[in-house]
Amino acid sequence: MIKLMSNIDPQIGKDVIESLTLGMYEDCRFIYREYVQNAADAVDKAVKLSILDKGSEEIHIKIDVENRCITIFDNATGIPQDNVISILRNIAHSTKKRGEDKGFRGIGRLGGLGYCSKLIFETSYFGENKKSIMIWDAELLKYIINDRDNNEEAVGVLNRVNRTTFETENLDGHLFCVIFGDV
């Protein structure tokens, strides 16, 4: 007779996060391409929803050598404040459609953590006067992953290494910005 132990929940160890950050891309240039593709998807969506007029789309990439910072900005839809945490903190949850959207679908977004000290997402949604800021502490994440005495589960690690704040602003626009701090 086989005895099933249904009261034991599966665990996901912290090492899976290493695969999704440092191990996801062997070349950091692929990560930047993914973020730019996500921006292209977002501006396409904004035009389709008539939030942007064709020709007014913007995607900017800024490399600040002095401050060791790379920023990728778009003026598309942004993410609604109520959805920021569920979209940016969850892994492998995505509204993107295979074959239609160009960028990654919820997994690769964390790939940037392998190549900077802080990964910052800033967004404001069309029609909202709040800017959401999510900061991922990549240095702390790397420390936790490399600490072989720490057997923490992945969800606990993810909760520890990011924080989200909301700022009220007088925004007429909408944006999504990825900032790689201390690259």
Side-chain angles (χ1 to χ4, degrees):
M1 173 179 255
I2 298 175
K3 183 178 179 182
L4 297 176
M5 301 192 68
S6 61
N7 62 342
I8 299 174
D9 291 328
Q11 297 179 331
I12 300 173
K14 66 178 179 159
D15 290 340
V16 74
I17 301 170
E18 183 175 23
S19 296
L20 299 174
T21 56
L22 293 170
M24 179 69 83
Y25 301 99
E26 64 185 51
D27 186 332
C28 65
R29 293 175 295 182
F30 297 141
I31 293 167
Y32 301 120
R33 181 199 68 213
E34 292 283 357
Y35 285 108
V36 170
Q37 286 178 328
N38 272 358
D41 285 341
V43 295
D44 288 349
K45 180 180 178 182
V47 169
K48 185 176 182 179
L49 295 172
S50 298
I51 293 171
L52 291 175
D53 292 328
K54 186 81 173 148
S56 67
E57 313 97 306
E58 295 180 19
I59 298 174
H60 300 277
I61 302 168
K62 178 182 176 188
I63 300 172
D64 183 344
V65 176
E66 185 176 312
N67 293 308
R68 299 181 45 129
C69 181
I70 297 173
T71 303
I72 301 170
F73 165 92
D74 71 63
N75 69 335
T77 61
I79 299 173
Q81 179 185 351
D82 291 343
N83 297 342
V84 164
I85 292 173
S86 65
I87 289 174
L88 294 178
R89 197 171 71 172
N90 290 338
I91 297 173
H93 286 264
S94 178
T95 58
K96 292 196 170 224
K97 295 179 180 152
R98 291 186 189 277
E100 290 181 30
D101 297 311
K102 299 175 233 15
F104 35 60
R105 285 171 275 292
I107 290 178
R109 149 181 342 106
L110 298 182
L113 287 167
Y115 299 95
C116 61
S117 294
K118 298 267 187 238
L119 183 63
I120 303 165
F121 298 105
E122 294 183 354
T123 185
S124 63
Y125 187 69
F126 178 75
E128 293 183 350
N129 68 344
K130 299 238 180 190
K131 179 165 75 170
S132 305
I133 304 165
M134 181 177 286
I135 301 173
W136 289 80
D137 186 336
E139 289 299 311
L140 177 59
L141 177 64
K142 291 170 195 167
Y143 175 80
I144 293 169
I145 288 172
N146 290 325
D147 181 358
R148 301 322 302 162
D149 295 326
N150 178 336
N151 294 321
E152 197 168 352
E153 285 197 40
V155 171
V157 172
L158 292 175
N159 285 331
R160 283 181 52 195
V161 300
N162 76 74
R163 65 183 165 82
T164 305
T165 59
F166 304 97
E167 298 176 358
T168 302
E169 293 189 352
N170 187 10
L171 296 172
D172 291 328
H174 28 88
L175 62 95
F176 189 83
C177 187
V178 180
I179 303 165
F180 298 82
D182 196 22
V183 290

